[in-house]
Amino acid sequence: MSGVRAAARTGLRRTAPAAERAWSADPYADALHAGRGPLFLRRADGWLLPLDVERWCAEADAADLEVLRRCEGTVLDVGCGPGRLVAALGARGHRALGIDVSEAAVAHTVGRGGQALLRSVFDPLPGTGRWGTALLVDGNIGIGGDPAALLRRLAQLLAPGGLLIAETSLHPDVDERVLVQITDANGTPGTPFPWARVGTPALLRHAATTGWHPTDQWSTSERTFVSLRRE
Ligand SMILES: C[S@@+](CC[C@H](N)C(=O)[O-])C[C@H]1O[C@@H](n2cnc3c(N)ncnc32)[C@H](O)[C@@H]1O
């Protein structure tokens, strides 16, 4: 992991596209500093998806710990936010790295004792082709607005036979790619950027065409998960 530490110190990143600007902007950073929302992803038709900032800023809960129990080898937490999973993985003896495009998220993760890198999942990353597990939780299958492209990227990052644990929408029929803005209680509109939401059936369809095979599915009353193994 020394290469990871070295890379984390460099803080290299490419020019930020719209999504990276949106997640780096004040409403998200302010919510992370406050440890609470309200904060939403707003679709063009006005529909609001609440972002669970309070849970992200808290300690890992029972559903998170079940995810962590399944992790194998080194763990890459994609879109780690304020780092509850990276910190909990470290406390359990896993070598884990969070990556995020938000400076505030990376700072919070490091402040919790975790390792984190200010980098997009689509940027060059340390350990490419060697990670044991990748995590896409809290809706992060939406990153980039194209689940198949994200799954193909993660197949590059993981070792052969590596494990991907992805959280899916509670609504199984959802399979949408939309433009959203991050919006706070004042309704301040942010930069529009592409996002996606998928239920488990849609995720499994995308997985079948991008080099992944399903290994398990599980759920709690409020969250659903799928694990996939790289072919
Ligand atoms: C829905 S939030 C999930 C937060 C989170 N998993 C947590 O534990 O707090 C999405 C996160 O992904 C990050 N993100 C968005 N696009 C990204 C990208 N291309 N690469 C890496 N992280 C990204 C955002 O900055 C944000 O922290």
Side-chain angles (χ1 to χ4, degrees):
M1 188 62 68
S2 59
V4 170
R5 286 201 188 95
R9 278 197 298 269
T10 67
L12 290 173
R13 61 183 309 203
R14 64 178 162 79
T15 309
E20 296 176 38
R21 282 199 304 277
W23 287 106
S24 301
D26 284 349
Y28 184 52
D30 290 348
L32 294 188
H33 289 313
R36 61 176 183 277
L39 199 68
F40 306 91
L41 292 184
R42 183 185 190 281
R43 253 181 0 206
D45 62 4
W47 183 81
L48 295 175
L49 176 69
L51 298 178
D52 202 349
V53 177
E54 289 82 353
R55 183 170 60 75
W56 302 345
C57 291
E59 297 296 312
D61 63 15
D64 296 327
L65 295 180
E66 177 58 23
V67 168
L68 303 191
R69 189 188 66 75
R70 293 165 182 260
C71 289
E72 301 170 357
T74 55
V75 183
L76 181 68
D77 184 8
V78 175
C80 63
R84 73 186 191 286
L85 300 182
V86 177
L89 281 162
R92 283 159 183 74
H94 276 277
R95 291 186 298 165
L97 174 71
I99 56 167
D100 205 290
V101 295
S102 155
E103 290 178 18
V106 169
H108 277 265
T109 302
V110 171
R112 288 173 108 147
Q115 291 192 29
L117 185 58
L118 184 64
R119 197 80 63 93
S120 166
V121 65
F122 299 107
D123 286 339
L125 289 173
T128 293
R130 299 200 301 275
W131 292 97
T133 303
L135 301 179
L136 280 177
V137 299
D138 308 320
N140 285 356
I141 186 68
I143 288 175
D146 182 348
L150 185 56
L151 290 173
R152 276 192 294 273
R153 174 61 179 144
L154 288 169
Q156 294 172 341
L157 292 173
L158 288 198
L163 190 70
L164 168 62
I165 300 178
E167 186 166 353
T168 52
S169 170
L170 264 184
H171 307 287
D173 297 336
V174 172
D175 186 9
E176 69 172 23
R177 296 161 66 168
V178 286
L179 278 182
V180 295
Q181 295 165 286
I182 297 176
T183 304
D184 59 17
N186 304 319
T188 315
T191 310
F193 62 95
W195 194 252
R197 290 194 311 139
V198 292
T200 296
L203 179 63
L204 296 179
R205 281 196 300 276
H206 292 303
T209 62
T210 53
W212 296 93
H213 62 84
T215 57
D216 206 357
Q217 300 176 28
W218 67 100
S219 56
T220 67
S221 56
E222 295 178 343
R223 299 172 70 191
T224 59
F225 300 89
V226 172
S227 60
L228 306 169
R229 202 167 284 284
R230 210 199 104 173
E231 288 167 357

